[in-house]
């Protein structure tokens, strides 16, 4: 069983997690990248600047505003210290990290507050309204779409409201398999409590070790095992949210999807990205912790064959029988995953190449279950579908290797950035009939705008209707890497929308996807969001610059 | 396989469906009701009055308003005819039917319009705004909570907008297993098209034969197989809705639950009960049509043992493995279901009584699957859980009998009303830890306010978090049966809210549950609904008197 309760230290300001965990590429990694012909590491490392060399703007908070914020949380939980401001300057996208590594702290908030109760959150919001200070809710700070950027908007100052002190698992109900959790609890800390009750949230996104319950909720996060446990939003029973116009409590009179008392208003708050209020607490639906985690590795002739096989898995096996995690790598990702898996990966590639498959696609699965008989049944069903598509079984250790490293991806990015490599991920989703078209459109857009570089993709989060596509791309950083990043990001986003996909499957909107939100949800959608925002946050202090386009935009 | 494509004629104005289908109680039905000591049929039938004897109010529509409505839909699709007005006077709750049967048509709309395109729906709404006419969207007219009552509100006239002409299945996508369906299509008609593609919507509420796609959507309907296919709302991919301020299209860029582009705004429209706009079209997620439907009947020692067994089913087997339909009858409902099942039921009762079980609880299941091996596996899992709770297997024919009659309940009510019996259903849901408490609270409230009568209940719609409770109650009608009905309804609603349940699991809010909506969703929820309503329907012409409390209430 994977250790899902490991709680590393919070992310270092210029990278991911505990820098002691940053691992160089495995032997052969750099030669492979070069061999693939695409990514040239810099001749020498370009480490981040020292903390004291990050250029920070002056603090703009008025004395009156500062005094009132301090009055709410106490002196020790109000900070304008350099490290606190730098740590809240942004999320963890490539541009976020690049700016800080090169000493650009111009986006830092004026101050950071650390409330200890939901009442304090309410009082902080009231103070921000009174003193016209923008306020950015901050959980794990793992946004890769600018979701926690301290944008001032029309206000003269902006503070970051960090929820880390609201980190309790308030209660667990073993009968209903639910838990009340404060918003600032990080995934592994909450999961440790759930597991002591024989339960699990089953929500394990790549950001899992750093991100928080509140962050999962306001971004509509999807974990790697979403086929088994559902997206985070499907498991929200109730939410408590502080707003500038009072505290809201929604849901809680029935299980997550068991009421018809008007529209499901929980879904107004879920995905609201801190623009409507600050989620302080949620009741979440848990499930029995599985006794068994079984992994399998398969290869398919090519990516298109993999698409067809995955569609059949989702539509023929259905929820509860299909694997909890299913992931199909396109040929490029197959190459890197196999290389990272070492000898078993090389052996696997040899095996499939021997069949004459020139561009094989790797599929890894995890089945979680409570008993052996059930596992056997589900494995048999899985194999029967895959074999109909000519799939070949490889050693399970490749899937094991992938699963063992599944929270390590962001660490590897830090190493690549040290060597002057631009690396980023983008993701989308669509229906099965449109999957291949969307896959090729986004792939082409990235390749064409990135120039020399490497792009790989996988399919995951299957259901009967469709699946998501997740791309990773890398290139040697140019002289202006942020312009380079923006060029590719814009092309990818345009391609997603142009080819009928969603602008984001689980990364949310933030600042970075805001240019496409109008095309995604239409004028009607924008009007609905604005109407709710005007009701709950009439002065607009909450998280300016994200999600909802400015009037007239 | 049950015939799910049977489309009976639309409901007669004073009852349910085609009166030719009304069946008297089976032999022994009346003696049983009497024996149970509770319900005394009237000495002779009290049939409904003749249509021409229904008292209708004058038509209040101005000439200008009438002219503009006619201009939109054409003369033949605008009606003030007696039958049309009577048919749109309300839904199918006991009070709705009682009033019409006794000649009270005072709530009839001033006119009925039958638009043929979504553009006509938009134009009708514009006309209603211009002439200050309230407008009530009308699908199958099966609401049992006053959802289609022609309430005038602050307006001088009210029309019913019947969507029956918008009944096409526009397209089916076999790859993504989705379909685009117009809102006025009735369940069986749409299902007939889906089945020709080897697909099913899997949505079979008791109102199935009369209700429409649009009705399912705006009421957050749950079908009997919700454990297998999910609630209707979980299978909505996109919605087109006409509003007084223009047409909205929400969703459609990803499968139903595969986007993180801000809050899931589809869930603002789903459950909006015609207060925000008129849904004209939806894309729905389908699933493979099962090849096998297998039914099983079991008995448990008593209702409490049944609750515990059902909780284990939902939490240990999980979605996809647990039966698609699971229904546990309390002791009272067990008595009537067994009696209606004839000889196999009597034999079953004998068998469990012989074990010394004085108040056994019946459990019926349906498993739908694509192959025999999978069915065997699921049956084995089901049996293993039930046996741990000491359940006894009875002949499958009892479950078969129940399933065969599952759309017939409302017909039986017509027969009971002929004999002067008050009969109604109420439903709620809660978490497993609270189920027994809620069950007893509502049961007591009904028994205490109804006096001499009969009440029975079943548990269904299980998931890991909880389940719903569905009560049927009957009593000999008093001299003022509507006051009698209101007394019980109020007590049941107060008990639901008092004991922590939801005011409705799948019947929606309408007029009848509006007194409790504030306690259900809180001030914050009301504020959010009002803000959206003000944006989309600023003059408030759409469906007054439902869902959202009046300002100051």
């Amino acid at each position: 069983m994977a250790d899902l309760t490991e709680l590393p230290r919070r992310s270092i300001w210029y990278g991911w997690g505990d820098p002691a965990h940053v691992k160089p590429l495995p032997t052969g990694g750099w030669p492979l990248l070069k061999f693939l012909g695409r990514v040239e590491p810099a001749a020498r490392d370009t480490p981040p600047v020292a903390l004291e060399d990050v250029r920070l703007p002056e603090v703009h908070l008025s004395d009156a505003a500062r005094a009132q914020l301090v009055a709410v949380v106490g002196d020790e939980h109000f900070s304008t210290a350099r490290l606190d401001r730098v740590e809240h300057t942004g999320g963890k996208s490539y541009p976020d990290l690049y700016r800080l590594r090169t000493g650009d702290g111009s986006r830092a908030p004026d101050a950071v507050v650390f409330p200890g109760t939901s009442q304090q959150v309410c009082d902080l919001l009231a103070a921000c309204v009174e003193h016209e200070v923008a306020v950015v809710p901050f959980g794990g700070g793992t946004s890769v779409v600018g979701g926690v950027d301290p944008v001032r908007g029309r206000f003269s100052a902006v503070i970051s409201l960090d929820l880390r002190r609201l980190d309790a698992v308030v209660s667990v109900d073993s009968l209903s398999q639910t838990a009340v959790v404060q918003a600032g609890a990080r995934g592994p800390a909450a999961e440790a409590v759930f597991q002591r009750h024989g339960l699990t949230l089953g929500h394990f996104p790549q950001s899992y070790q750093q991100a928080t319950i509140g962050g999962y909720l306001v971004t509509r996060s999807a974990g790697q095992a979403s086929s088994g446990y559902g997206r985070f939003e499907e498991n929200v029973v109730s939410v408590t949210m502080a707003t500038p116009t009072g505290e809201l409590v929604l849901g809680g009179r029935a299980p997550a999807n068991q009421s018809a008392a008007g529209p499901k208003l929980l879904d107004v708050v879920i995905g609201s990205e801190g623009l409507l209020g600050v989620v302080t607490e949620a009741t979440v639906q848990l499930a029995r912790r599985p006794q068994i985690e079984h992994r399998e590795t398969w290869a398919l002739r090519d990516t298109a064959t993999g698409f067809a096989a995955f569609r059949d898995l989702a539509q023929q096996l259905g929820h509860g029988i299909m694997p909890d995690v299913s992931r199909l790598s396109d040929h490029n990702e197959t190459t890197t995953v196999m290389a990272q898996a070492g000898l078993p990966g090389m052996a696997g590639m040899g095996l499939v190449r021997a069949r004459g498959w020139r561009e094989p696609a790797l599929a890894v699965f995890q089945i979680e279950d409570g008993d052996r008989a059930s596992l056997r049944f589900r494995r048999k069903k899985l194999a029967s579908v895959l074999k109909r598509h000519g799939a070949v079984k490889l050693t399970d250790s490749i899937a094991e290797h992938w699963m063992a490293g599944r929270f390590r991806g962001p660490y590897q990015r830090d190493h690549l950035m040290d060597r002057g490599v631009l690396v980023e991920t983008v993701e989308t989703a669509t229906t099965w009939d449109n999957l291949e078209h969307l896959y090729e459109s986004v792939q082409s857009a990235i390749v064409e705008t990135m120039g020399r570089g490497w792009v790989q993709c996988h399919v995951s989060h299957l259901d009967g209707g469709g699946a998501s596509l997740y791309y990773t791309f890398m290139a040697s950083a140019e002289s202006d890497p942020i312009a380079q990043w923006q060029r590719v990001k814009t092309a990818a986003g345009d391609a997603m929308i142009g080819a009928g996909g969603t602008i984001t499957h689980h990364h949310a909107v933030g600042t970075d996807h805001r240019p496409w939100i109008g095309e995604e949800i239409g004028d009607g959608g924008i009007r609905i969001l604005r109407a709710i925002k005007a009701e709950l946050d009439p002065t607009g202090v909450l998280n300016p610059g994200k999600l909802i386009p400015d009037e007239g935009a």
Side-chain angles (χ1 to χ4, degrees), chain A residues 52 81 87 175 178 240 243-244 247 284 322 337 347 413 428 503 552:
Chain A
E52 49 278 21
E87 279 183 348
L175 270 182
T178 57
T240 304
T243 80
E247 189 176 80
V284 291
M322 63 182 293
V337 173
R413 181 176 57 171
T428 180
I503 193 63

Side-chain angles (χ1 to χ4, degrees), chain A residues 9-52:
Chain A
R9 57 169 279 189
R10 285 178 194 276
S11 286
I12 192 82
W13 58 271
Y14 57 77
W16 187 263
D18 184 345
H21 290 186
V22 175
K23 282 200 301 196
L25 284 185
T27 319
W30 285 116
L32 177 74
L33 282 173
K34 286 199 212 184
F35 167 77
L36 295 168
R38 307 294 179 173
V39 183
E40 194 73 43
R44 56 190 180 77
D45 272 10
T46 48
V49 301
L51 177 62
E52 49 278 21

Side-chain angles (χ1 to χ4, degrees), chain A residues 188-456:
Chain A
E191 188 70 15
V193 179
F194 305 155
Q195 291 198 359
R196 284 203 291 277
H197 289 81
L199 299 170
T200 180
L201 180 55
H203 183 74
F204 310 116
Q206 197 175 47
S207 62
Y208 173 68
Q209 294 181 324
Q210 295 292 333
T212 59
I213 296 289
Y216 302 147
L217 195 151
V218 298
T219 58
R220 299 178 68 186
S221 175
Q224 289 163 351
S226 72
S227 297
Y229 298 92
R231 291 173 75 102
F232 187 84
E233 66 197 79
E234 298 175 66
N235 294 305
V236 178
V237 179
S238 77
V239 171
T240 304
M241 187 170 83
T243 80
T245 51
E247 189 176 80
L248 293 185
V249 181
L250 294 170
R253 289 202 156 264
N257 293 298
Q258 299 265 32
S259 175
K264 187 181 175 188
L265 296 179
L266 273 175
D267 280 352
V268 165
V269 169
I270 295 169
S272 62
E273 302 191 17
L275 272 84
L276 304 180
V278 181
V279 171
T280 54
E281 195 173 282
T283 305
V284 291
Q285 184 65 50
L286 308 175
R288 281 215 305 178
R289 191 183 170 204
Q291 301 302 301
I292 307 164
E293 285 178 3
H294 169 80
R295 285 132 196 171
E296 291 197 9
T297 320
W298 293 75
L300 291 120
R301 170 180 290 275
D302 51 33
T303 306
T305 307
F307 284 176
F310 267 47
R311 179 168 68 83
D312 278 355
L313 282 181
Q315 295 182 341
Q316 293 176 19
L317 302 194
H319 192 65
I321 296 175
M322 63 182 293
D324 299 274
V325 179
S326 300
R327 178 177 162 130
L328 174 78
S329 295
D330 73 353
H331 174 59
N332 276 8
E333 191 176 278
T334 297
T335 306
T336 54
V337 173
M338 293 295 234
Q340 293 203 340
L343 278 178
M346 288 165 64
M349 278 307 244
L351 197 143
V352 297
R353 287 258 162 73
R355 298 174 79 94
W357 294 0
R358 295 169 43 151
E359 302 206 324
L362 179 74
V364 298
F365 301 100
Q366 176 156 303
I367 300 178
E368 306 184 8
D369 215 309
D371 67 76
R372 294 272 156 210
S374 184
L375 173 65
R376 269 195 306 277
F377 172 74
R378 293 172 67 189
R379 289 185 60 185
K380 214 171 120 188
K381 299 287 275 186
L382 171 64
S384 75
V385 172
L386 291 172
K387 283 180 182 163
R388 276 209 300 282
H389 291 271
V392 179
K393 191 159 183 323
L394 304 179
T395 168
D396 295 347
S397 70
I398 298 170
E400 300 275 357
H401 186 272
W402 173 77
M403 286 299 290
R406 63 179 172 159
F407 303 133
R408 297 269 171 241
Y411 283 109
Q412 216 161 59
R413 181 176 57 171
D414 288 345
H415 174 60
L416 290 164
M417 288 185 74
D418 278 344
R419 303 296 294 271
V421 176
L422 184 164
V423 51
E424 188 56 288
T425 61
V426 293
E427 34 83 73
T428 180
T430 193
T431 45
W432 288 112
D433 69 305
N434 191 43
L435 195 68
E436 198 156 347
H437 172 59
L438 180 64
Y439 166 69
E440 279 164 9
S441 300
V442 178
Q443 169 95 2
S444 301
I446 295 173
V447 167
E448 280 163 25
T449 48
M450 179 174 63
R452 195 173 149 92
W454 180 252
V455 55
Q456 61 185 37

